[in-house]
Amino acid sequence: MSVRGMITDERRDLIATLRTLSDEEWEAPSLCGGWRVRDVAAHLCSDAVSPWTFGNVLVRQRFSFDGLNDALVEQKRAWPVERVLELLESTVGRGVLSATIPGVILADSVVHHQDILRPLGRTRTVPADRLLFTLSHPDPFARPWRIIEGLRFVATDVPWSRGTGPEIRGPGEALALAMVGRPVVLGELEGDGVDRLRDRLS
């Protein structure tokens, strides 16, 4: 399946997840520091932002992508949940960013789906094609090279590995989250490299 096809499927799965959430779960903290579940959903609506708006906000944030993301989320912070869902649904199969940087958007979407589910005590099996892509192409805006350099990551549930150095083994989903800075998964990993990884995620 094409990357854009996987984005479409991932976005549909995420929307299906969001439609099962209670009002309290929408307001619950996510794995993204300072963002609630609804804020993560609002962030993923950035796929609907026009290039003109995207560029203007980026300039105002002095070309800080973290600032850009926070500003775009802030614009939707008080929106009703249904309005957030409607905008997210409008991106299925036709997102602006999905058309220009599809690899980044797929990895971002897969990780943020887990950022929502894990704090709520919910689980899912990430489809293997999307998981393998996310492992091989972690979101560059999360600066994964700070975490993965000099370490070897080996998935125990899908045929994937990368890197050289002390080894870290575990489920592919946990490795994907670790590589973009989510310390919550450390207890699911093992190997000689886990202590070094813990230091980098602290």
Side-chain angles (χ1 to χ4, degrees), residues 66-114:
D66 288 340
L68 168 73
N69 288 331
D70 286 339
L72 292 176
V73 167
E74 186 62 34
Q75 291 174 358
K76 304 172 184 66
R77 190 170 290 275
W79 282 17
V81 163
E82 191 58 38
R83 186 177 176 190
V84 174
L85 280 169
E86 288 174 357
L87 185 58
L88 194 58
E89 286 176 332
S90 76
T91 69
V92 175
R94 56 188 299 269
V96 175
L97 296 178
S98 295
T100 54
I101 49 173
V104 173
I105 297 305
L106 177 57
D108 189 57
S109 298
V110 169
V111 167
H112 282 319
H113 199 159
Q114 304 311 113

Side-chain angles (χ1 to χ4, degrees), residues 20-122:
T20 70
L21 301 186
S22 66
D23 292 343
E24 291 77 14
E25 287 174 319
W26 272 94
E27 300 300 328
S30 74
L31 291 186
C32 300
W35 280 4
R36 303 162 295 172
V37 165
R38 63 176 295 133
D39 298 325
V40 177
H43 163 66
L44 292 169
C45 290
S46 298
D47 211 2
V49 174
S50 72
W52 175 257
T53 299
F54 192 92
N56 278 343
V57 176
L58 185 59
V59 169
R60 288 200 300 272
Q61 296 300 318
R62 299 183 178 182
F63 297 95
S64 164
F65 282 95
D66 288 340
L68 168 73
N69 288 331
D70 286 339
L72 292 176
V73 167
E74 186 62 34
Q75 291 174 358
K76 304 172 184 66
R77 190 170 290 275
W79 282 17
V81 163
E82 191 58 38
R83 186 177 176 190
V84 174
L85 280 169
E86 288 174 357
L87 185 58
L88 194 58
E89 286 176 332
S90 76
T91 69
V92 175
R94 56 188 299 269
V96 175
L97 296 178
S98 295
T100 54
I101 49 173
V104 173
I105 297 305
L106 177 57
D108 189 57
S109 298
V110 169
V111 167
H112 282 319
H113 199 159
Q114 304 311 113
D115 287 336
I116 289 170
L117 289 174
R118 277 177 167 260
L120 299 179
R122 299 190 179 209

Side-chain angles (χ1 to χ4, degrees), residues 3 23 52 67 80 86 101 109 124 129 141 151 156 170 175 185 195:
V3 174
D23 292 343
W52 175 257
E86 288 174 357
I101 49 173
S109 298
R124 71 160 181 155
D129 55 350
F141 293 109
L151 294 172
T156 55
L175 294 178
V185 302
D195 287 342

Side-chain angles (χ1 to χ4, degrees), residues 180-191:
V180 291
R182 306 302 195 265
V184 69
V185 302
L186 284 167
E188 301 167 41
L189 306 175
E190 59 182 14

Side-chain angles (χ1 to χ4, degrees), residues 152-196:
R152 177 166 175 77
F153 292 80
V154 180
T156 55
D157 56 347
V158 290
W160 180 89
S161 62
R162 74 176 296 169
T164 58
E167 190 169 280
I168 298 164
R169 299 180 301 278
E173 183 253 359
L175 294 178
L177 292 180
M179 289 192 294
V180 291
R182 306 302 195 265
V184 69
V185 302
L186 284 167
E188 301 167 41
L189 306 175
E190 59 182 14
D192 296 340
V194 172
D195 287 342
R196 187 178 300 182

